[in-house]
Amino acid sequence: MTNKLLSLLGMAKKAGRIACGYEKTLESIHKQKAYIVFTASDLSEKTERGLIYACEEMGTKVKRLNVSMFELSNAVGQKTGIVSVNDKGFAKRLTELDSN
C-alpha cells in the first residue's frame, strides 16, 4: 500500500494538488485549502508539534506515514517531510490507501 500511496502523492504533485514543506503546508492549512496533511516518520518532533497545533486549530486531519523523508521526497520530486493534499478527491483516495 505504501508504494501506491507514494505514487498517488507523486501524481497529485504533478497535478498541482499538493503543497510541500512546512511553510507552504501551513499556508494551505490557514487558507483552508488542505484536506489532509501527511508527515514523514522521521520528521522532527518540534516541527510535527507545530504542524499538529495548526491542523487542530483549523480542523485539518494530519497523518504520520510509515516512510522516511527521503522516500517522501522521492515520491513528490522535492525535498520535504511534510505534504498537504489540497484536493478532495486525492485526499479521499490517499486516506483510503493509508487505512488499508
Side-chain angles (χ1 to χ4, degrees), residues 12-45:
K13 171 72 172 165
K14 287 178 185 166
R17 303 292 188 221
I18 66 172
C20 299
Y22 187 76
E23 294 298 325
K24 295 219 183 235
T25 297
L26 280 183
E27 185 178 317
S28 293
I29 292 166
H30 288 297
K31 288 183 177 180
Q32 296 184 329
K33 291 182 177 182
Y35 288 92
I36 190 166
V37 175
F38 291 105
T39 65
S41 60
D42 54 351
L43 186 69
S44 79
E45 287 183 36

Side-chain angles (χ1 to χ4, degrees), residues 1-2 4-5 8 92-100:
M1 282 307 142
T2 303
K4 286 184 181 181
L5 189 137
L8 192 57
K92 182 180 178 194
R93 184 64 183 134
L94 286 162
T95 303
E96 290 169 1
L97 286 173
D98 185 50
S99 64
N100 289 340

Side-chain angles (χ1 to χ4, degrees), residues 27-84:
E27 185 178 317
S28 293
I29 292 166
H30 288 297
K31 288 183 177 180
Q32 296 184 329
K33 291 182 177 182
Y35 288 92
I36 190 166
V37 175
F38 291 105
T39 65
S41 60
D42 54 351
L43 186 69
S44 79
E45 287 183 36
K46 182 179 178 185
T47 302
E48 191 170 34
R49 267 196 313 267
L51 192 65
I52 289 171
Y53 177 77
C55 286
E56 286 174 351
E57 192 176 69
M58 300 304 286
T60 305
K61 292 181 189 175
V62 62
K63 293 282 283 184
R64 177 177 259 204
L65 296 175
N66 195 21
V67 298
S68 66
M69 285 197 290
F70 179 78
E71 292 169 301
L72 185 58
S73 297
N74 281 342
V76 298
Q78 180 179 344
K79 187 174 182 192
T80 189
I82 305 168
V83 173
S84 72

